[in-house]
């Protein structure tokens, strides 16, 4: 059967890769379902895309920001009309269940409306000059051509977090979607074009990291890079971008702790744990991957969590009643399998799951059983390293202070959560948990677009998406306007 052939988007034209190479987009729940073929791009394609973006910048930067914002507003409306189709294609593309892919498209809609509002809010400052008859102000300028490298776990939401604030700020973009999920980026960008984004303002080069991502980072006309993905790749990209003095926004891994105190609403914590650990098949940077349990409730909570995890319905996310979809590809299955073995070797106990599901009805996909690992101590690798699969580690503690210490004892610092009814502890946790995000009485997942998103320590390099993205996609310019008709010398003419 001939599959639909998607092309790169360069300067408003849909073009094959210069090399003619392609790759297939495969449904991880059913490998016989091919969504289409996509260009496998290289440095030549990237150069064409960057040139188109550079050309378009000359005019796009001069479009008034409120007009740019109107296009985003229209894109939000069109996304709402197309939500069901895009959600279905996203479930086929990367596996998460329909309710969640609808949520992913919804996040892009929310981001469109939020960022559209920013079009009338790109405020700068005015301030008195130290000199008479002189006016001083700061204005936000676009950066220029921005390169974006996206992951597969939120294939529409994450590109929207990058593209929309960049566009409203007057930048032009070249985006490289993850090789597992190019279609959702195509759907998003097609919608932006239908909403009125001019040719060349957004360009897509699909393909693999080293061939298509690396040249984007290296290209001298790309003025900033925004990346979400693994810490290993983020470290390479950060170094390469810094070598060329390019601002780079890195959003990477997590090992997110949920702390359950003895005074918590245990049923609520249980629901939160299931959603936080197994939503998106555990493939979220904010996934609940460590549950820290107060000794006095640990046995009861563990027993209930294991029973509920074992009963989760795993399968094709398009089907009614399925709660956990496949992992995105066989590499992710290999990682989950590896960490189960590492945990066992270090003395932890697999309480449920622990293996890939390979028999019917799972034989045509990449499925992993929801896994709960007990008897974990804070120094074990399963307590410290990211798995990015449906695998959660349980750690017991005696005191609140000890729980905070364990939560903070890792290299990552993305999301954290505390279940407790004690307000003093809640405020202490808000202050002391080393993370970019803290939830009280909710799991570690569930970010909203108008709050800052990002982590501390090895999770990121200090930039924020959501509220904060405009700071990355604009650069301050100071403007001094002298209307005295004389030469006035700062630091000299106003000295006593
Ligand atoms: P990855 O970091 O390899 O891929 C992310 C993006 O970077 C993709 O678009 C990829 O093509 C690109 N890329 C890869 N190598 C590159 C290079 N040398 N230069 C430029 N771009 C490059 O992540 P992958 O392999 O998909 O997943 C591996 C692990 O990464 C997961 O197990 C998980 O731990 C972590 N991850 C974290 C995410 C997050 O949300 N923070 C999202 C996806 C993965
Ligand atoms: Mg795929």
């Amino acid at each position: 059967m001939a599959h639909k052939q998607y092309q790169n988007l360069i300067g408003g034209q849909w073009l094959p890769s210069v090399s003619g190479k392609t790759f297939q987009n495969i449904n991880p729940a059913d490998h016989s379902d091919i969504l289409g073929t996509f260009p496998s791009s290289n440095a030549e394609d990237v150069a064409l895309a960057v040139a188109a973006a550079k050309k378009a910048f000359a005019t796009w930067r001069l479009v008034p920001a409120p007009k740019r914002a109107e296009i985003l507003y229209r894109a939000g409306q069109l996304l709402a009309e197309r939500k069901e189709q895009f959600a279905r294609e996203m479930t086929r593309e990367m596996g998460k269940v329909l309710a969640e892919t609808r949520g992913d498209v919804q996040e892009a809609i929310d981001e469109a409306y939020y960022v559209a509002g920013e079009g009338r809010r790109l405020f700068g400052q005015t301030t008195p000059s130290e000199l008479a008859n002189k006016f001083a102000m700061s204005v936000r300028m676009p950066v220029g051509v921005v390169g974006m490298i996206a992951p597969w776990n939120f294939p529409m939401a994450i590109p929207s977090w990058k593209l929309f604030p960049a566009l409203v700020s007057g930048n032009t973009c070249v985006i490289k979607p993850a090789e597992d999920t190019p279609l959702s980026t195509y759907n998003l960008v097609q919608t932006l074009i239908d909403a009125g984004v001019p040719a060349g303002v957004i360009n897509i080069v699909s393909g693999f990291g080293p061939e298509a991502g690396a040249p984007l980072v290296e290209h001298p006309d790309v003025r900033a890079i925004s990346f979400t993905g693994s810490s290993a790749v983020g470290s390479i990209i950060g170094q390469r971008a810094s070598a060329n003095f390019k601002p780079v926004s890195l959003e990477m891994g997590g090992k997110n702790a949920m702390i359950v105190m003895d005074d918590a609403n245990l049923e609520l914590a249980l629901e939160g744990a299931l959603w936080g650990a197994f939503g998106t098949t555990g493939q979220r940077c904010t996934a609940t991957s460590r549950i820290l349990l107060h000794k006095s409730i640990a046995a009861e909570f563990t027993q209930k969590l294991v029973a509920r995890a074992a009963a989760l319905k795993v399968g094709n996310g398009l089907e009614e009643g399925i709660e956990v979809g496949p992992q995105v590809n066989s590499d992710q299955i290999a990682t989950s399998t590896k960490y189960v073995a590492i945990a066992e070797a270090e003395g932890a106990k697999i309480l449920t799951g622990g293996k890939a599901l390979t028999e019917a009805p799972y034989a045509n996909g990449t499925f992993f059983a929801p896994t709960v690992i007990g008897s974990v101590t804070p120094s074990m690798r399963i307590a410290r390293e990211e798995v990015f699969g449906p695998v959660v580690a349980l750690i017991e503690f005696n005191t609140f202070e000890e729980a905070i210490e364990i939560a903070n004892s890792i290299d990552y610092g993305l999301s954290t959560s505390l279940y407790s009814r004690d307000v003093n502890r809640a405020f202490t946790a808000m202050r002391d948990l080393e993370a970019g995000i803290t939830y009280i009485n909710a799991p570690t997942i569930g970010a909203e677009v108008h709050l800052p998103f990002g982590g501390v320590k090895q999770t990121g390099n200090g930039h924020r998406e959501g509220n904060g993205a405009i700071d990355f996609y604009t650069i301050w310019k100071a403007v001094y306007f002298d209307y005295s008709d004389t030469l006035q010398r700062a630091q000299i003419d106003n000295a006593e």
Side-chain angles (χ1 to χ4, degrees):
M1 198 181 85
H3 305 298
K4 182 157 182 197
Q5 287 193 15
Y6 293 85
Q7 310 291 13
N8 283 333
L9 178 61
I10 295 178
Q13 285 186 293
W14 298 99
L15 298 172
S17 62
V18 173
S19 72
K21 278 200 209 159
T22 61
F23 64 95
Q24 288 189 329
N25 186 352
I26 297 167
N27 180 343
D30 174 5
H31 290 170
S32 68
D33 178 23
I34 313 286
L35 285 94
T37 62
F38 288 79
S40 184
S41 310
N42 62 24
E44 284 185 86
D45 304 297
V46 169
L48 293 172
V50 173
K54 189 178 178 183
K55 180 158 176 261
F57 181 65
T59 45
W60 181 244
R61 72 184 186 92
L62 300 178
V63 175
K67 293 282 174 216
R68 297 193 296 248
E70 278 172 29
I71 297 176
L72 293 182
Y73 186 76
R74 214 173 304 132
Q77 292 173 313
L78 290 176
L79 284 171
E81 288 170 18
R82 300 171 187 183
K83 181 171 170 179
E84 191 61 21
Q85 180 209 331
F86 288 175
R88 285 184 173 274
E89 290 189 342
M90 194 188 300
T91 293
R92 283 174 60 208
E93 178 169 57
M94 59 72 71
K96 64 187 173 185
V97 299
L98 258 184
E100 290 190 46
T101 51
R102 288 182 187 124
D104 195 304
V105 180
Q106 185 59 46
E107 197 161 318
I109 297 166
D110 297 342
E111 176 78 1
Y113 294 155
Y114 167 57
V115 174
E118 293 299 301
R120 290 184 185 270
R121 252 193 315 264
L122 291 173
F123 302 131
Q125 302 103 9
T126 62
T127 179
S129 163
E130 65 187 45
L131 296 163
N133 295 331
K134 195 170 176 187
F135 189 86
M137 61 185 150
S138 62
V139 291
R140 288 183 184 274
M141 308 291 288
V143 177
V145 178
V146 182
M148 298 163 177
I149 297 175
W152 42 263
N153 56 341
F154 284 86
M156 189 170 286
I158 289 178
S160 82
W161 292 3
K162 299 185 187 306
L163 287 168
F164 296 178
L167 292 172
V168 86
S169 304
N171 303 287
T172 56
C173 311
V174 178
I175 184 164
K176 193 205 81 63
E179 50 270 34
D180 287 296
T181 56
L183 180 54
S184 295
T185 295
Y186 279 69
N187 285 338
L188 179 68
V189 172
Q190 180 65 60
T191 303
L192 284 159
I193 290 166
D194 295 343
V197 171
V201 170
I202 307 176
N203 305 274
I204 308 178
V205 282
S206 65
F208 294 83
E211 295 82 29
L216 190 56
V217 177
E218 298 290 337
H219 199 295
D221 288 335
V222 173
R223 291 294 155 81
I225 293 285
S226 178
F227 168 80
T228 303
S230 65
S231 298
V233 172
S235 169
I236 298 170
I237 290 178
Q239 291 178 54
R240 292 308 306 158
S242 300
N244 297 297
F245 309 110
K246 277 181 205 182
V248 55
S249 170
L250 303 171
E251 288 298 340
M252 300 166 296
K255 189 73 190 180
N256 312 290
M258 167 192 288
I259 300 172
V260 185
M261 291 303 302
D262 46 352
D263 66 347
N265 176 340
L266 284 192
E267 288 305 317
L268 184 70
L270 185 63
E271 295 301 329
L274 284 161
W275 175 228
F278 303 117
T280 319
T281 320
Q283 300 170 126
R284 293 194 186 208
C285 48
T286 52
T288 303
S289 49
R290 297 182 290 160
I291 304 179
L292 280 43
L293 297 168
H294 191 277
K295 276 252 158 62
S296 67
I297 51 94
E300 180 191 349
F301 188 91
T302 301
Q303 186 208 343
K304 287 185 171 167
L305 179 67
V306 167
R308 291 286 299 274
L312 286 169
K313 290 198 178 62
V314 179
N316 186 330
L318 287 176
E319 287 168 21
E320 202 67 38
I322 293 299
E323 295 166 293
V324 179
Q327 290 213 253
V328 74
N329 58 36
S330 54
D331 284 350
Q332 296 303 127
I333 294 285
T335 305
S336 296
T337 307
K338 179 183 91 177
Y339 273 101
V340 166
I342 289 170
E344 277 190 302
E346 289 192 328
K349 295 204 164 50
I350 312 308
L351 304 177
T352 182
K355 55 185 188 322
L357 300 169
T358 53
E359 308 285 308
Y362 301 117
N364 277 337
T366 41
F367 293 93
F368 201 86
T371 300
V372 180
I373 306 184
S375 307
V376 175
T377 61
S379 61
M380 290 179 183
R381 288 181 65 188
I382 193 64
R384 315 186 68 80
E385 297 175 21
E386 184 170 58
V387 179
F388 227 69
V391 177
V392 66
L394 308 185
I395 303 172
E396 297 185 15
F397 66 86
N398 289 301
T399 65
F400 174 70
E401 291 70 27
E402 189 190 345
I404 298 280
E405 200 181 305
I406 296 169
N408 289 345
S409 69
I410 53 158
D411 292 333
Y412 293 114
L414 184 50
S415 186
T416 46
S417 134
L418 173 76
Y419 279 80
S420 170
R421 287 158 161 152
D422 180 332
V423 288
N424 295 354
R425 279 184 180 144
F427 271 88
T428 306
M430 280 158 54
R431 184 192 61 198
D432 291 347
L433 284 169
E434 294 172 0
I437 307 169
T438 293
Y439 292 90
I440 306 296
N441 293 323
T444 57
I445 65 176
E448 300 179 29
V449 298
H450 57 301
L451 276 85
F453 184 91
V456 300
K457 300 199 272 189
Q458 297 207 2
T459 293
N461 61 346
H463 296 289
R464 289 292 179 265
E465 299 197 286
N467 180 8
I470 300 288
D471 291 333
F472 182 73
Y473 293 108
T474 58
I475 198 148
W476 285 115
K477 177 180 233 177
V479 180
Y480 301 91
F481 193 117
D482 194 319
Y483 55 101
S484 70
D485 231 16
T486 55
L487 173 66
Q488 302 193 87
R489 298 170 302 171
Q491 293 94 39
I492 295 171
D493 290 339
N494 69 342
E496 359 69 81

